[in-house]
Amino acid sequence: MEIIKSNHYLVNTDIELLGNLFNQLQANGISDLTQVEAKLAQLQIASFNDLVKHFSGPDCDSQLAVVGEELIDRLRTAVPDREAVLTSSNEVGTYLADKLAGHKQEELWAIYIDNSNHIIAEKCLFKGTIDKSVAHPREIFRWALIYACAGMFVVHNHPSGHLTPSQSDVKLTRMLKGAADMLQIDFLDHFIVGKNQFLSMREHELF
């Protein structure tokens, strides 16, 4: 993202972003896939987590780091050319852990589904420290009514990777369950995700 002036940005297209990545790789002496593989081995990068850590660390070229992190964010928001149908807690948890992988700020998302477990909509509703005073059920269920969903679940990430629910997490979850019961909407689960792992609060019988 190129800064034009204060509060104004020029957002690269996907093709421009890929072109910038290739240019930065060439500037760092990498011009083919064999050299990419050798560089990854040299840096002991064996996973996407390792790659994100490298982009965020002090040893990565600053311009390459900017392009690399922007590319990863762009890939996270890419919409796959298939209809998402969620059939189990493990499938949902894996989907959400992948979705929020690498996010550095705490976020709360609501996922709204129909009677056949097809995703109707996904919305990021809150950013920052998530607690019951910030993540108010009113906003979460406003969209549930707009989408006329049959069920929903929420997810928030712990960037630290520690998945133990806080007291605020438990209170918020029970508040959401009570509101869902009143509106006759299935509140299916509250997931906590971090570092490609997940915890299901329903499976842990926390509500």
Side-chain angles (χ1 to χ4, degrees):
M1 187 179 292
E2 180 183 346
I3 299 177
I4 302 299
K5 59 182 180 179
S6 178
N7 297 324
H8 289 78
Y9 300 90
L10 175 63
V11 178
N12 293 316
T13 66
D14 292 346
I15 295 299
E16 288 171 337
L17 185 56
L18 286 171
N20 287 343
L21 175 64
F22 296 147
N23 289 338
Q24 291 302 321
L25 289 174
Q26 287 184 330
N28 283 270
I30 299 171
S31 58
D32 59 45
L33 291 177
T34 301
Q35 291 175 319
V36 170
E37 186 177 5
K39 189 66 174 180
L40 291 174
Q42 177 190 339
L43 296 172
Q44 297 183 324
I45 294 174
S47 68
F48 284 114
N49 279 340
D50 292 340
L51 187 61
V52 171
K53 287 178 183 177
H54 176 68
F55 285 147
S56 302
D59 297 327
C60 184
D61 175 83
S62 59
Q63 292 298 316
L64 180 59
V66 169
V67 174
E69 290 204 0
E70 187 178 351
L71 179 63
I72 288 172
D73 284 339
R74 192 73 59 86
L75 289 171
R76 287 194 194 105
T77 60
V79 178
D81 188 21
R82 60 182 172 83
E83 193 172 20
V85 182
L86 305 173
T87 59
S88 69
S89 290
N90 184 67
E91 190 175 41
V92 175
T94 300
Y95 172 80
L96 296 173
D98 289 344
K99 183 178 186 65
L100 297 179
H103 286 209
K104 298 174 184 177
Q105 186 177 21
E106 194 166 334
E107 301 176 7
L108 185 140
W109 287 68
I111 315 296
Y112 304 101
I113 63 172
D114 64 16
N115 284 316
S116 300
N117 293 329
H118 295 85
I119 292 177
I120 300 171
E122 309 175 23
K123 291 194 72 68
C124 179
L125 296 171
F126 304 98
K127 289 188 178 182
T129 301
I130 306 300
D131 60 36
K132 63 183 179 65
S133 63
V134 175
H136 198 284
R138 178 173 55 245
E139 183 68 10
I140 295 171
F141 285 100
R142 179 170 77 91
W143 289 102
L145 296 174
I146 289 172
Y147 293 125
C149 69
M152 58 170 287
F153 48 88
V154 297
V155 54
H156 79 275
N157 61 318
H158 286 178
S160 66
H162 300 298
L163 303 184
T164 303
S166 67
Q167 287 299 315
S168 291
D169 294 337
V170 175
K171 288 179 181 178
L172 173 62
T173 304
R174 291 174 178 170
M175 188 185 299
L176 293 174
K177 179 64 167 68
D181 288 345
M182 289 180 61
L183 294 170
Q184 297 185 329
I185 295 172
D186 287 336
F187 180 70
L188 301 171
D189 212 334
H190 182 173
F191 288 89
I192 300 174
V193 301
K195 294 190 175 179
N196 296 108
Q197 302 179 77
F198 67 88
L199 176 143
S200 162
M201 294 183 72
R202 177 177 289 278
E203 290 190 350
H204 282 73
E205 299 181 347
L206 294 174
F207 69 97

